Amino acid sequence: MTKILMVCLGNICRSPLAEGILKSKLPVNTFLIDSAGTANYHVGNPPDRRSIAVGKKYGIDISNLKGRQFSVNDFDAFDLIYVMDDSNYRNVISMARSEQDKSKVKFILNEIYPNQNFDVPDPYYGGDHGFEDVFKMLDEACTIIAKSFI
Ligand code: 4NP
């Protein structure tokens, strides 16, 4: 079983979409894919309605996901931890206990633009178009991730 965690700030906009998109591209029996937020603002909440809507538009149902906060145990539970932006990266790395923990943490857009450490922009305070852009970036990155396992 390969275990992959997607991380953003609130776990309601970007990382639930990344989770749903990557799940749609990999076999469910050999891949465990989850998401979490570095903050606790939205623990137990469903994804933002705009993330649910853009997922639905492209055939991905994330309406049943529930927000949870990233914890240090996630370094043990997952093989790879993809963060959406630099702030997420710093928050997650600050909780790492070892070089092995740190080595699991990657910028998701580095799958498309290696070593650039680009951010998936936080769409929370913007309009619907931000969610469409985020979906496209995450879809492209997740296609590359999925292909790397085939
Ligand atoms: P996310 O977006 O990190 O992509 O889930 C956000 C969601 C909520 C907030 C910030 C970002 N917030 O401040 O509540």
Side-chain angles (χ1 to χ4, degrees):
M1 185 74 92
T2 303
K3 291 165 267 178
I4 302 173
L5 183 67
M6 302 294 188
V7 175
C8 63
L9 173 61
N11 193 211
I12 55 167
C13 296
R14 293 165 292 175
S15 62
L17 267 179
E19 174 186 342
I21 292 167
L22 189 59
K23 274 181 179 161
S24 76
K25 297 179 191 289
L26 286 168
V28 64
N29 52 329
T30 45
F31 287 86
L32 174 75
I33 298 154
D34 192 12
S35 64
T38 58
N40 65 0
Y41 317 138
H42 300 284
V43 171
N45 293 350
D48 187 284
R49 58 180 173 72
R50 297 163 294 176
S51 281
I52 294 175
V54 76
K56 190 173 176 192
K57 178 175 170 185
Y58 293 104
I60 291 170
D61 181 7
I62 61 166
S63 62
N64 289 329
L65 300 183
K66 291 273 173 287
R68 74 168 179 91
Q69 189 173 21
F70 180 82
S71 94
V72 71
N73 301 323
D74 289 317
F75 287 114
D76 300 320
F78 292 91
D79 305 303
L80 276 170
I81 299 169
Y82 281 110
V83 296
M84 301 296 130
D85 66 28
D86 188 57
S87 164
N88 309 150
Y89 185 83
R90 284 182 281 109
N91 283 323
V92 170
I93 287 288
S94 75
M95 293 169 71
R97 303 153 300 180
S98 64
E99 288 305 312
Q100 197 202 350
D101 285 358
K102 289 182 188 172
S103 72
K104 295 183 176 186
V105 187
K106 300 183 185 305
F107 283 80
I108 193 166
L109 289 189
N110 281 0
E111 297 290 336
I112 312 173
Y113 310 104
N115 305 314
Q116 298 295 309
N117 297 357
F118 288 147
D119 291 348
V120 179
D122 187 342
Y124 187 61
Y125 293 106
D128 289 347
H129 201 74
F131 286 77
E132 186 82 28
D133 292 345
V134 163
F135 185 93
K136 286 180 180 150
M137 288 175 212
L138 292 176
D139 190 54
E140 191 177 346
C142 289
T143 296
I144 297 170
I145 295 168
K147 280 189 181 149
S148 77
F149 288 105
I150 295 167

